[in-house]
Amino acid sequence: MAKMRRERNGWCLVRLSLLALLALALAPMALWAGSGQWTSNGPYGGNCSALAIDPSTPGTLYTGTEDGVFRSDNGGGSWAAKNDGLTNVVVFALAIDPSTPTTLYAGILFSGVFKSVDGGHSWAPANNGIKNTAVFVLVIDPSDPSTLYAGTYGDGVVRSTDGGSSWTAIDSGLGENANVLSLVIDPSSPSTLYAGTQGGGVFRSTDGGNSWTSSSNGLTNLQVQALAIDPSTPSTIYAGTYGSGVFQSSDGGNSWTARSAGFPDQAFVSTLAIDPSDPATLYAGLEGGGLFLSTDGGNSWTSRHSGLWSLWVEALATDSSMPSTLYAGTGGNGVFRSTDGGGSWTDTSNGLVGTEVDSLAIGSNSPPTLYAGTRVCGVFRSTDGGNSWIDINSGLSIRMMAMQALAIDPSDSATLYAGTGNSSGAGDGIFKSTDAGNSWVPVNNDLGNANILALAVDRASPSTLYAGTNVGGVFQSTNGGSFWTPIDNGLPSLAGVSALVIDPSKPSTLYAGLDGGDGGFGVFRSTDEGNSWTAVSTGLATHYVLAVAIAPSSPTTLYAGTLEGGVFRSTDGGDSWTPASNGLTNLWALALAIDPSDPATLYVGTNGGGIFQSTDGGNSWVHMNEGIPNAAWFIPALAVDPSDPNRLYAGTSGGAFSFTIAPAIASIKKVAAPFRLVVTGSHFEAGATATIGGTPWTKVSVKSATKLVIKGGGALAHLFLKGQAVAVTVTNPDGGVSAPFDFTK
């Protein structure tokens, strides 16, 4: 199960997330009653599967992502989400009407096509006949913009002749080759189309798609993910294949010749583009290989990805008004722009919220440094509470690797560790930085290229750390990662360990959550620094455990997040467990975080259901997703600021979000001689101030998180007129402000 849990980019987990969202829409849920909302300022990026440039205004472009459609009006300088009306935001294809560029179409996963007539500001379904279809490519007839073609997954090619109002299958001759990954139209003869399929090669139609014939003679690889047609010589076509590079046909698809000199041995071509001013200049985007350029019609290729630090290129778009300008949509890292024909690239993803954050870590320095480990973008650092981020990847192996675990040396906030892995079960082991992430080195001796799911550092002895792996159990290092030793005595064979925590009061006691292996489920405990392990899963049944959290203020209190079983609680150090999921409408509990000062206050991140809060030890839960878009309700990471329990961070499928829990006033009682106000409520912090009828007031004594006293004697009393209500608010040092409470003297 460890592999499936991490495989969000695969079909299985994406669909589960969508089904979970639908279930949430239909299920009743308790909503968080506090004030405040989640905010995000990055890290910016995301999986950009489609790009389209407005032909009339080249500075306007669109990208389709797993988090919807984004629009830029300044050549990628900044982006804004344009998802109003989209019922599903996993966008694989975009097409702009060349005659009316404010009209565009989006191909959606399992939702067919949506149409916008106002430049993406609003969308409406245009999927009559293909409502449940995954659309991977869209093309528009240049001679009749009301005619569109869509390549689908499982339903072949479909056509609309009324601007998307209705669709008809046109797959005669395609046979079993119903997965169409690429489509192009002959601009000189729009009734001629070419379709690239998954496993069937290329098919050609000369009657507007009514019938198709195989056109794959010479193709040695029949998985064709990309097609491009020479606009000046339409009989010249290029096909990008999955593993064999590029092929060229100069006779309208009758025969094909390999054109892959200069490519890697296995070139997985996902996208192709032709320079609009020079048809002999081609660009090929590779999955994991970056960008390649040919200036001789594909006869030879050279790599062109200086500055393109994502090597997974999913989409390309050329600017017809400035042919040397092109854009690359990447897998996980957003959009990049080149103004010199691919010679150099700059990241242009500001505002593009779509980077999946899989892990979080907070330093003990003041103010605390926040680190975010992402799926394929490496590690980012913020020193201002998540308001801004920089990537810190020098020396890191981020090529198709997720940073699944982060851990910080509690005695030195500049020393941190990153655990890597990917959905195939492989990994590049662990990396270490001693300069706050500015540089990294691998620390994998005796560990190999393990897929690391969890990391934990011993607070009492920071040179001792533990690593949980997907099939290798637990490893221990006693010298800061220089060497590792397997410590799996008592664990099931091939154990997948997705969670590790250390008892803060007894560092020799560890807990491991298992989500795979031979009998690998539940929680295991070690009381001898991992030398031996014992199952402590009474009450957990056979649930796979994805997260474990231990209450800092009450170390015998633990919580376990499970796969499809919700949250479980133990109050006896793991000896027994009871369900603690009342109110959870999503039972895939991916992440847990506990208030460091209150073991009964905790948070859970779910797969598709967002974030829930409990203030009674899991007896009840409330939904607290205000500010997080539905598309980002996949929550693999949560963290509470150890220096400010009212400050929360969430790693989501749409970036890192922060939340400041505002104080709340429950009651105010007047006390005379001298005049003062006793305020009860929640989330009060030392240093809080008050505002009384608009007048700032600093004479506030915070007694606890639930009680404070506003002092001032006669000066305070004069702010109140007998019988008239005066609004009182409390402001914490972190900026959280309570809702006004009307007090009458």
Side-chain angles (χ1 to χ4, degrees), residues 286-670:
L286 274 61
E287 296 181 4
L291 184 104
F292 281 73
L293 167 73
S294 174
T295 57
D296 54 10
N299 289 315
S300 61
W301 297 84
T302 56
S303 62
R304 300 279 282 185
H305 41 251
S306 175
L308 186 67
W309 47 276
S310 171
L311 298 182
W312 189 284
V313 180
E314 297 186 348
L316 289 169
T318 57
D319 187 338
S320 58
S321 66
M322 293 182 290
S324 60
T325 296
L326 65 152
Y327 298 87
T330 67
N333 296 87
V335 177
F336 290 74
R337 179 180 61 214
S338 173
T339 57
D340 57 4
S344 60
W345 296 85
T346 56
D347 187 352
T348 55
S349 299
N350 183 41
L352 192 59
V353 180
T355 298
E356 182 176 314
V357 175
D358 283 347
S359 55
L360 292 167
I362 303 175
S364 58
N365 55 323
S366 182
T369 301
L370 178 64
Y371 298 91
T374 68
R375 177 146 296 271
V376 290
C377 305
V379 179
F380 289 77
R381 181 179 66 211
S382 175
T383 57
D384 56 8
N387 290 319
S388 62
W389 298 85
I390 60 170
D391 61 274
I392 48 170
N393 294 320
S394 178
L396 266 182
S397 174
I398 64 173
R399 185 171 177 173
M400 297 317 300
M401 287 294 164
M403 300 297 138
Q404 299 178 149
L406 291 173
I408 299 178
D409 184 329
S411 66
D412 178 10
S413 292
T415 297
L416 62 152
Y417 303 87
T420 69
N422 63 26
S423 61
S424 68
D428 279 342
I430 297 172
F431 289 77
K432 180 179 181 178
S433 174
T434 57
D435 56 8
N438 292 321
S439 61
W440 298 84
V441 294
V443 285
N444 292 328
N445 285 328
D446 301 316
L447 187 63
N449 294 329
N451 189 335
I452 307 298
L453 304 182
L455 288 170
V457 180
D458 187 339
R459 299 186 67 85
S461 178
S463 61
T464 298
L465 55 152
Y466 303 89
T469 68
N470 67 325
V471 292
V474 179
F475 285 75
Q476 180 194 57
S477 174
T478 58
N479 49 21
S482 296
F483 295 95
W484 295 87
T485 303
I487 51 169
D488 52 11
N489 182 31
L491 290 176
S493 61
L494 301 177
V497 178
S498 59
L500 279 173
V501 293
I502 301 173
D503 187 328
S505 64
K506 291 185 292 184
S508 60
T509 297
L510 294 81
Y511 298 89
L514 273 62
D515 69 349
D518 184 8
F521 51 81
V523 174
F524 281 68
R525 180 177 63 202
S526 172
T527 58
D528 55 8
E529 298 179 334
N531 290 312
S532 61
W533 296 88
T534 304
V536 286
S537 300
T538 301
L540 272 174
T542 57
H543 286 295
Y544 293 110
V545 174
L546 308 180
V548 177
I550 187 168
S553 60
S554 177
T556 58
T557 300
L558 295 93
Y559 299 89
T562 69
L563 178 70
E564 298 185 306
V567 176
F568 287 76
R569 177 182 62 231
S570 174
T571 57
D572 52 14
D575 289 335
S576 61
W577 298 84
T578 56
S581 300
N582 184 39
L584 282 182
T585 56
N586 185 295
L587 298 180
W588 284 57
L590 305 182
L592 289 166
I594 303 177
D595 187 319
S597 62
D598 180 8
T601 297
L602 64 154
Y603 308 88
V604 61
T606 67
N607 176 26
I611 300 168
F612 295 79
Q613 180 200 46
S614 175
T615 57
D616 54 11
N619 291 323
S620 62
W621 294 88
V622 293
H623 213 228
M624 55 176 302
N625 284 339
E626 184 68 28
I628 302 179
N630 291 7
W633 283 9
F634 175 85
I635 315 291
L638 287 172
V640 179
D641 188 334
S643 64
D644 180 4
N646 291 336
R647 184 77 168 175
L648 314 177
Y649 297 95
T652 81
S653 50
F657 284 75
S658 61
F659 192 105
T660 299
I661 299 179
I665 300 174
S667 67
I668 298 178
K669 180 181 178 181
K670 179 189 70 173

Side-chain angles (χ1 to χ4, degrees), residues 220-286:
T220 58
N221 187 315
L222 298 181
Q223 183 161 332
V224 178
Q225 301 194 137
L227 288 169
I229 191 165
D230 184 337
S232 62
T233 310
S235 60
T236 298
I237 312 156
Y238 300 90
T241 67
Y242 190 75
S244 302
V246 173
F247 290 74
Q248 181 197 55
S249 174
S250 56
D251 54 11
N254 290 323
S255 61
W256 297 86
T257 304
R259 293 284 186 261
S260 297
F263 278 131
D265 290 339
Q266 287 188 313
F268 302 94
V269 180
S270 56
T271 181
L272 289 168
I274 298 176
D275 187 323
S277 65
D278 179 11
T281 297
L282 293 86
Y283 303 94
L286 274 61

